[in-house]
Amino acid sequence: MKADGRGSADAGTVQSASPAFQIIILGAGGGPNEDNVTGLLVRSTARPWTRDSVLAVDAGVHLAAIIKIFEEHLPQASLRKTAITSAAATPVNGDNLYTPTETTKAKLYMSTGPFANLELPHETAKANATYVFRSLISTYLITHPHLDHVAGFAINTAALQQTLRRKRVAALPSTIEAIKEHIFNGIIWPNLSDEGEGAVGFVSYDRLVDGGNVALGDGEGRGYIEVCDGLAVKGWSVSHGECMRHMHHQGSYSSESTEAGYSPYYSRRSSRKDMSSGSMDSIRSQSFSQVSPEKKAYDSAAYFLRDEHTGKEVLIFGDVEPDSVSLNPRTARVWQDAAAKLSAGLLTGVLIECSYDDSQPDGMLFGHLTPRHLVIELGVLASKVRTLAPQDGRPGSPRKRKRPSNGHKFSSDETQPRRPPSRHHVRRRTRSSVSPSTSLRPESPRHSSSEMALTNDDAELGSIVEEDGSSHKAPSIRQDEGESKQSMMTTTNRPLEGLKVIIIHVKDPLRDGPSIEETILQQLQEHEREVQLGCTFIVSQSGTSIWL
């Protein structure tokens, strides 16, 4: 893997051995600069640069970023001689006999940059970038309909005239409905889709099934649907903060939130205490507050992309908030799905947002992550990977699944929704304690009600409940208890060893001092040294390639 000293993608590439995916970072930021918002291109390395070989994932910035890449690398393009076989007619006794002849022709190819080895049909950067936009990309996989994820695509649709095929927008139904109603509606932008009044037909909608369509695919690919040549997708809905208005395209409470010990009438809110960059313990105090049942979490998505040639997968998140402060915590089911793939050696990387550094208080996350929250979320993945690890060194003998005795923070290991527990059941479960070390998460929140009270001391003495009903005290990995780093490594076993976590959607505060990317990477690395998950953090940069 190539990376500079900061762990960021350099001007060339971030490379894995025998990569299955090439991911081109068109936009690595989350605003407020409009020229660096979320936009990715993904392709299978088993496929050449041909029609329908490239998938766009979000397109806050799109064609302009592709043009910029061509402007930078087109001067280094080179001519290559290509053999061309043709049949020439030779008259023999009045008949034309056709014999094959071989000639060579020089063609222009990109030599450097993300589009290296692409044959160039045109001379200028703009014309070649438009060729990529019109011919190579056929599907836009959208995580959610916020402008910093769709604005570029909407504006670029003006360049779709005189093309042979319409573009396909693939997304979960809530995102499709929002784009249909609020963007391609004839008011904000012409209705260039093929649905609704005044439809022009440049764009068609493909509504994905949350959790995958089990009627499609088979084996490891069951539930996936092809989105471009060589790549298939399965999506999960995740939460991206609280909707301020009740509209039909907003998210809804899932059984995931209640089965984990949540009532939809409660919302976890932090104490707003800031956290020093090196401490994982200063985010452990939280409280419940009453919220209106009409308020709902905003839907975003996490997509598993599967390379059909190798079976390898990469996980790409849209904007997502931590389960620990969500109205509708549902990221745990994504981690459950990911854990099985990681344990099987199929998951090669995770692209996930980290919008702010750790100075951002929980009360002002606006549906996003900071380094402390991201490491806690990855801790959930780590805990699920550990449950799938062989027991006593015997392959194929998974450990018993463990769950916190209060079910308070995250869902159970099962990905399929169950019937929500009764109100009495929720309260009974939330009175129990949980060890923060179980999944590297903040301590359980305190409740104002004495009936639901939980103290920090309770959390320190938490227990693990096995599936057979037995329980035992959970080990703690907190460094302030005097445990050594070696002891922490023994406890966690570095379950995410080798996993690359690519940071996207970093919000630029536009101020003097160190870059926000450097600060976020430093904080992530400090947390990693503390908890020893084993993953590698890389901060993405616009205009670069990542090979996974």
Side-chain angles (χ1 to χ4, degrees), residues 18-256:
S18 303
F21 302 91
Q22 180 190 5
I23 302 175
I24 301 174
I25 309 296
L26 298 181
N33 290 337
E34 71 274 16
D35 64 345
N36 187 25
V37 289
T38 304
L40 309 172
L41 300 179
V42 186
R43 59 183 286 263
S44 167
T45 60
R47 301 298 196 272
W49 294 103
T50 54
R51 181 182 294 273
D52 193 26
S53 64
V54 180
L55 170 70
V57 180
D58 284 341
V61 62
H62 191 61
L63 182 56
I66 300 174
I67 292 173
K68 186 176 181 180
I69 291 174
F70 274 97
E71 288 175 341
E72 179 180 354
H73 294 281
L74 186 58
Q76 287 78 47
S78 59
L79 290 171
R80 301 179 189 175
K81 291 183 178 180
T82 304
I84 300 176
T85 301
S86 61
T90 303
V92 177
N93 297 328
D95 295 326
N96 288 330
L97 299 180
Y98 290 88
T99 57
T101 60
E102 187 173 281
T103 60
T104 60
K105 180 180 180 181
K107 294 184 178 181
L108 190 63
Y109 287 83
M110 291 289 281
S111 299
T112 62
F115 295 102
N117 298 317
L118 170 67
E119 181 183 344
L120 300 174
H122 304 289
E123 296 180 357
T124 66
K126 290 182 179 179
N128 283 304
T130 303
Y131 162 71
V132 171
F133 168 66
R134 286 177 171 172
S135 299
L136 303 191
I137 305 169
S138 63
T139 300
Y140 289 77
L141 185 63
I142 304 300
T143 61
H144 65 292
H146 281 168
L147 285 178
D148 58 329
H149 295 256
V150 300
F153 172 70
I155 294 172
N156 296 160
T157 52
L160 292 178
Q161 297 183 57
Q162 302 174 349
T163 55
L164 297 177
R165 294 188 303 171
R166 61 181 56 138
K167 296 298 183 185
R168 171 190 182 196
V169 172
L172 295 177
S174 60
T175 295
I176 295 291
E177 293 310 307
I179 293 173
K180 180 179 177 180
E181 180 175 348
H182 301 294
I183 296 179
F184 294 130
N185 60 2
I187 300 173
I188 299 300
W189 201 248
N191 182 11
L192 302 182
S193 77
D194 59 354
E195 297 183 13
E197 184 178 356
V200 175
F202 288 174
V203 175
S204 65
Y205 297 125
D206 190 351
R207 294 164 175 84
L208 304 179
V209 176
D210 193 355
N213 188 340
V214 295
L216 299 175
D218 59 3
E220 295 291 340
R222 187 176 185 184
Y224 288 72
I225 183 171
E226 187 178 79
V227 282
C228 77
D229 186 19
L231 296 180
V233 68
K234 179 175 72 172
W236 290 98
S237 61
V238 296
S239 295
H240 175 32
E242 179 183 314
C243 281
M244 304 310 295
R245 297 178 58 193
H246 182 63
M247 304 174 69
H248 74 271
H249 67 269
Q250 295 173 359
S252 59
Y253 295 107
S254 70
S255 59
E256 190 80 14

Side-chain angles (χ1 to χ4, degrees), residues 11 31 37 104 146 193 204 226 285 383 391 448-449 469 486 519 526 543:
V37 289
T104 60
H146 281 168
S193 77
S204 65
E226 187 178 79
S285 177
S383 69
Q391 189 175 23
S448 56
S449 169
Q486 181 62 41
T519 300
E526 288 173 351

Side-chain angles (χ1 to χ4, degrees), residues 262 267-270 283 286 321-326 329 362 365 373 376-377 409-410 441-442 445:
Y262 298 104
S267 170
R268 285 179 291 177
R269 292 295 179 222
S270 79
I283 56 170
Q286 297 183 339
E321 66 182 348
D323 271 1
S324 58
V325 299
S326 179
D362 287 6
L365 291 176
H373 295 106
I376 290 169
E377 288 294 332
K409 281 291 181 185
F410 300 101
R441 60 183 182 266

Side-chain angles (χ1 to χ4, degrees), residues 431-479:
R431 285 201 299 270
S432 303
S433 60
V434 58
S435 168
S437 63
T438 303
S439 57
L440 310 181
R441 60 183 182 266
E443 290 178 1
S444 302
R446 298 187 183 98
H447 310 294
S448 56
S449 169
S450 59
E451 190 175 15
M452 302 177 68
L454 177 66
T455 67
N456 284 340
D457 290 336
D458 290 329
E460 295 295 336
L461 301 175
S463 60
I464 297 296
V465 177
E466 303 283 3
E467 293 219 335
D468 60 7
S470 63
S471 64
H472 58 85
K473 183 177 178 180
S476 172
I477 62 169
R478 291 175 53 180
Q479 285 184 299

